[in-house]
Amino acid sequence: MGPLTIGMQAMGLETRIMHGIAKIKKGDPDRTIRIIHRERDHLIDMLNRRELDLIFIDSFQMDRQSHVSFHPMLHAGCVAVSPHGVRTMREVVEGWAGYCDDIWILPQKGIAIRDRFDAVLYARDLEPPARLIEYNASIGLSALFLQCEGWGIIPTYALSAATAYIEVAPSYETMDEMQLESGLAWLGAFPQKKYVEDAIEVFKTAT
């Protein structure tokens, strides 16, 4: 009876993942389920070493992992936010000279939003922000943004949490390069244990 080991770094999928885990546990109550939170690069490495059975990550550059199967579960665009308001990512990138010297509060490298943003700047020969605060957990972020008057990047579905501090429009244009695509990944090129195959099917249908 080996454990089912699951890696997670997928903002917005937490509820669906936990519903799936609960369903798996009810159907197989004696099996231990382990949940590991790490940066996406670490999770991919652990999956390739077979230290994890499944991982939930963003699809950024996953096409380089041809032996890994990916099932998308969530699509979302991103916007930049601060106490000054909301800006589309296109506004920020095209007007980067007016934003690059501001304080930026961003996830550490290895988190999908940060990796995608770094790639957008690099592709346009733009320097990354020099005044930077990095985080790997969301605890206290709202207070930090308000006190520093810094800029951050969030998925559009998280904008509802910002309505107490800033005015939010009904919708925003989203930039193709900053589209998050989160989902389930596993070593599809290799045979899987039966309980892993069963878990994959549960998560594919999780709502």
Side-chain angles (χ1 to χ4, degrees), residues 3-74:
L4 175 65
T5 55
I6 299 169
M8 283 182 59
Q9 199 273 293
M11 186 187 303
L13 282 179
E14 292 89 348
T15 299
R16 292 174 67 181
I17 294 170
M18 295 311 168
H19 285 173
I21 289 172
K23 185 174 180 179
I24 291 166
K25 188 64 176 177
K26 289 176 182 177
D28 192 1
D30 294 328
R31 190 174 306 282
T32 298
I33 299 175
R34 293 177 180 156
I35 305 168
I36 297 170
H37 294 264
R38 296 291 299 273
E39 291 80 6
R40 63 188 306 279
D41 289 344
H42 288 296
L43 294 180
I44 293 170
D45 288 343
M46 293 175 73
L47 180 69
N48 285 328
R49 294 194 301 266
R50 292 185 175 267
E51 295 172 8
L52 296 172
D53 297 309
L54 313 168
I55 58 176
F56 291 91
I57 59 170
D58 184 82
S59 66
F60 181 62
Q61 296 183 335
M62 284 302 294
D63 54 346
R64 301 179 183 181
Q65 305 279 335
S66 59
H67 58 289
V68 176
S69 295
F70 185 83
H71 175 73
M73 299 171 67
L74 176 67

Side-chain angles (χ1 to χ4, degrees), residues 73-92:
M73 299 171 67
L74 176 67
H75 294 84
C78 294
V79 292
V81 296
S82 83
H84 307 293
V86 182
R87 304 288 185 274
T88 69
M89 294 309 303
R90 192 172 306 282
E91 286 178 295
V92 169

Side-chain angles (χ1 to χ4, degrees), residues 18 26-27 33 54 56-57 93-94 118 120 123 131 142 158 160-161 177 190 196 206:
M18 295 311 168
K26 289 176 182 177
I33 299 175
L54 313 168
F56 291 91
I57 59 170
V93 171
E94 291 180 353
D118 286 352
V120 166
R131 304 174 69 193
S142 295
S160 58
E177 299 99 313
F190 304 100
V196 177

Side-chain angles (χ1 to χ4, degrees), residues 132-160:
L132 183 63
I133 299 173
E134 296 180 314
Y135 63 86
N136 69 349
S138 59
I139 299 170
L141 277 183
S142 295
L144 184 61
F145 275 98
L146 293 172
Q147 293 296 320
C148 292
E149 297 190 350
W151 287 96
I153 304 171
I154 62 173
T156 52
Y157 62 73
L159 273 172
S160 58

